[in-house]
Amino acid sequence: MRKWPQIFPMPPPDKSRNQKLNTRRTAGRADRTPESDLTVSLVPRSGDPVRLEWSDISVAGTKILAPAEFGSDLVEGAPVRLRFGVEDLNFRVNGRVVWCHDTADEAMISVGVDFAYLDPTISETHPELWVYFNRRKAFRVTPPLGEVLEVELSGPQGSASVRLVDISATGVSVTLPDEHPTPAWVENGLGHKFDLHLTLLPEVGEIKLVTRAERVFRQGKADCWGLSILEEDERHLGDSLEIVEEYIMARQRQMRGVEG
């Protein structure tokens, strides 16, 4: 069996250290862009590594899209070996499958992996890697050029029809209502929860996301909100988040192809 060089030592897991690293959906997350150089491959028990797509990553684990033919190996609780690469640097990380779901594409499955151990000192020798693994990162995509994706935004104090700016596995950005004066529920909305109703995949229909307004920013002539998706336990990933991931993967391929 081919063995890939490990640039990190793999000692027995330090539970106290892992607890500090396992910061799921924390305020420290950032977004990945299509220009990212990080690649990930599945290292099967036999044969060559298989290139995968990832939608979300942190020091604790990653979400990947894998060929359905590996479904018998990628079951909950199963060990998994992933090969990561940046430029000429390649390294392996051992992990364990924490959930596995079918997707609308019968040839692919969506898999959540927790890392067994990731040495936090990698920033000292490989800062180019720490850019990815020091905090949660998610691939952020926009709707196709010229396409307006309507979103119904609602909270305890008000609601409005807005437009999707971009979306990732951990968050959504939307325009704010173009009203003067600005509604009070928008002025005071940061930090509060809002439901989003939107249709990403027409063949699936409308989905609902529970979010929290985290920041306000300006894009072009529009005021926008950045909202985090509230989903604490990824072992019980809801149908809505699965659809979000399928949309992200599809747009990722389009952005690298037609629009790239």
Side-chain angles (χ1 to χ4, degrees):
M1 180 181 299
R2 176 181 293 181
K3 294 185 178 180
W4 295 100
Q6 292 184 204
I7 64 168
F8 308 146
M10 290 290 182
D14 179 335
K15 293 184 179 179
S16 62
R17 173 179 285 178
N18 283 347
Q19 287 174 352
K20 294 178 182 179
L21 291 178
N22 194 7
T23 52
R24 295 188 180 281
R25 300 190 181 276
T26 62
R29 64 172 173 253
D31 300 310
R32 178 185 180 227
T33 65
E35 292 76 27
S36 169
D37 292 326
L38 182 69
T39 62
V40 59
S41 300
L42 174 68
V43 183
R45 285 177 289 186
S46 62
D48 295 327
V50 178
R51 178 75 175 270
L52 307 174
E53 295 179 45
W54 61 269
S55 64
D56 194 7
I57 197 166
S58 75
V59 293
T62 184
K63 296 177 186 178
I64 57 176
L65 194 68
E69 64 192 81
F70 293 99
S72 59
D73 296 325
L74 300 176
V75 296
E76 186 171 337
V80 63
R81 291 180 298 169
L82 298 176
R83 177 194 178 195
F84 290 91
V86 178
E87 297 180 347
D88 296 329
L89 177 64
N90 292 285
F91 62 97
R92 192 189 73 189
V93 175
N94 294 327
R96 189 167 296 277
V97 176
V98 291
W99 52 260
C100 183
H101 301 294
D102 294 331
T103 70
D105 182 352
E106 295 182 355
M108 308 299 290
I109 54 176
S110 181
V111 183
V113 175
D114 274 355
F115 297 145
Y117 179 79
L118 188 64
D119 191 345
T121 64
I122 60 175
S123 60
E124 299 173 7
T125 54
H126 297 285
E128 70 273 28
L129 297 177
W130 202 237
V131 170
Y132 298 96
F133 292 101
N134 70 331
R135 53 187 177 179
R136 179 168 296 284
K137 300 181 75 68
F139 196 107
R140 183 171 294 272
V141 300
T142 59
L145 294 175
E147 179 178 307
V148 176
L149 207 160
E150 298 289 341
V151 179
E152 289 297 321
L153 172 72
S154 63
Q157 299 176 330
S159 61
S161 178
V162 297
R163 300 191 312 276
L164 181 74
V165 176
D166 53 43
I167 189 167
S168 75
T170 58
V172 181
S173 294
V174 300
T175 61
L176 289 175
D178 187 15
E179 298 180 25
H180 299 283
T182 303
W185 64 272
V186 172
E187 289 282 358
N188 303 317
L190 291 182
H192 292 278
K193 292 183 180 180
F194 292 87
D195 291 341
L196 301 186
H197 293 266
L198 68 162
T199 300
L200 295 173
L201 303 174
E203 66 272 20
V204 176
E206 184 180 276
I207 63 171
K208 172 186 174 183
L209 299 173
V210 181
T211 67
R212 181 173 56 239
E214 306 284 7
R215 64 189 180 96
V216 62
F217 64 96
R218 186 85 174 172
Q219 179 161 306
K221 297 182 179 181
D223 289 320
C224 306
W225 261 354
L227 306 105
S228 60
I229 297 175
L230 303 183
E231 175 62 37
E232 300 300 332
D233 189 354
E234 293 171 359
R235 289 174 173 78
H236 304 288
L237 194 68
D239 291 342
S240 292
L241 288 186
E242 289 184 50
I243 293 168
V244 168
E245 290 182 1
E246 291 174 27
Y247 178 79
I248 291 169
M249 297 297 185
R251 285 293 297 134
Q252 178 180 348
R253 290 189 288 268
Q254 290 175 347
M255 293 167 73
R256 286 176 173 172
V258 177
E259 295 183 9

